[in-house]
Amino acid sequence: MCVATICLSGCGFGSDGSQDPAQSDEDSAELRTPTIRSDSPDQNSDYTEKQPSSPIYFSEILPNPEGNDADNLDSEYYIIEVNTDTTVDLSGYEINYGEQLSFSLPATLTDVEPHTSIRVVTGKPNDGTTTPQNRTRTIFSERDSPVLSNSGMKLKLRNRDGELVDKVEYGELREGVLYVRPE
C-alpha cells in the first residue's frame, strides 16, 4: 500500500486537491483542526494550526485506503495517541463517527502505558494482519462496512462521562492519502 502524508504546517498539498477547512460547530471552537491546505500564501494567511489540547488525541487517519474501501476494511484506520506520563484507563471511552455511528474502546484498555499509540482498524483481524510493535496497540472495531467518510468527517473522542476529550475534522481525502495531525 502506498500512502501519501499530508503536511499540516504550511507546506500544503498541491494545487489540484486543495480543500478549505470545514466550518466549526459548538464543540470545535476550542478543538478546531485544519484540513488539507494549498500552497497559496493568500489561502494560508488566516490559517491557524491547532495542536491537540489534550494528552489523549487523534494523530492520524486513513479513511480512504487504496482500492475498494469495502474490500479493504483492514486498511481503514485511525490512531489515538496517549501522550501522558502516567498509565491511563481508556476502557469505555467512545469514538463518535459523525452523528450516527460510535465505537467504545474495549475493557482491555485499563492500563495503557504512557506514550502509547492505539491503532483502531475498521475491519476484522485476518491471518495477514500484524500487530505493530513499539508501544502501539491494534484494536479491531470489527465492522462489516467502512465507517470513515472519504469526503470529510468529524471524529470525537469522549471519556466514560461523555465529556469531549478530543475532536478532529478533515475534508475530502483522495485514495491512499493519510491525514496527519500536528503534535
Side-chain angles (χ1 to χ4, degrees):
M1 169 175 68
C2 178
V3 176
T5 301
I6 300 170
C7 175
L8 295 175
S9 59
C11 65
F13 184 67
S15 58
D16 61 328
S18 300
Q19 298 291 325
D20 288 328
Q23 295 297 317
S24 301
D25 66 8
E26 68 281 353
D27 285 337
S28 64
E30 76 247 14
L31 298 170
R32 188 175 151 260
T33 302
T35 55
I36 301 170
R37 303 294 294 193
S38 78
D39 289 324
S40 167
D42 294 334
Q43 290 182 349
N44 286 324
S45 62
D46 64 347
Y47 176 60
T48 304
E49 187 174 291
K50 291 282 186 172
Q51 296 178 336
S53 60
S54 168
I56 302 169
Y57 60 94
F58 296 103
S59 64
E60 66 182 59
I61 305 164
L62 183 60
N64 192 2
E66 296 281 334
N68 183 322
D69 288 1
D71 294 335
N72 292 301
L73 296 177
D74 59 340
S75 296
E76 181 181 276
Y77 72 91
Y78 53 90
I79 292 180
I80 299 171
E81 295 292 334
V82 180
N83 192 15
T84 60
D85 293 327
T86 60
T87 301
V88 294
D89 179 358
L90 296 180
S91 63
Y93 275 51
E94 183 176 271
I95 291 92
N96 302 119
Y97 306 103
E99 303 299 323
Q100 302 294 319
L101 293 173
S102 64
F103 173 70
S104 291
L105 294 177
T108 58
L109 290 179
T110 56
D111 295 320
V112 179
E113 293 181 21
H115 309 288
T116 298
S117 300
I118 309 293
R119 183 175 183 250
V120 182
V121 179
T122 299
K124 301 174 183 176
N126 62 39
D127 294 337
T129 303
T130 60
T131 302
Q133 302 299 313
N134 300 328
R135 297 192 183 274
T136 300
R137 294 187 184 185
T138 298
I139 296 170
F140 295 89
S141 62
E142 301 195 22
R143 301 280 183 160
D144 292 323
S145 61
V147 294
L148 299 173
S149 174
N150 299 342
S151 60
M153 168 169 253
K154 294 177 188 175
L155 289 176
K156 296 178 183 177
L157 176 64
R158 297 186 183 276
N159 65 19
R160 285 180 295 283
D161 295 327
E163 297 167 341
L164 185 66
V165 174
D166 190 39
K167 177 184 161 196
V168 68
E169 186 173 344
Y170 61 87
E172 184 172 340
L173 295 176
R174 294 184 299 181
E175 189 173 277
V177 174
L178 180 66
Y179 177 92
V180 178
R181 187 171 182 186
E183 294 185 34

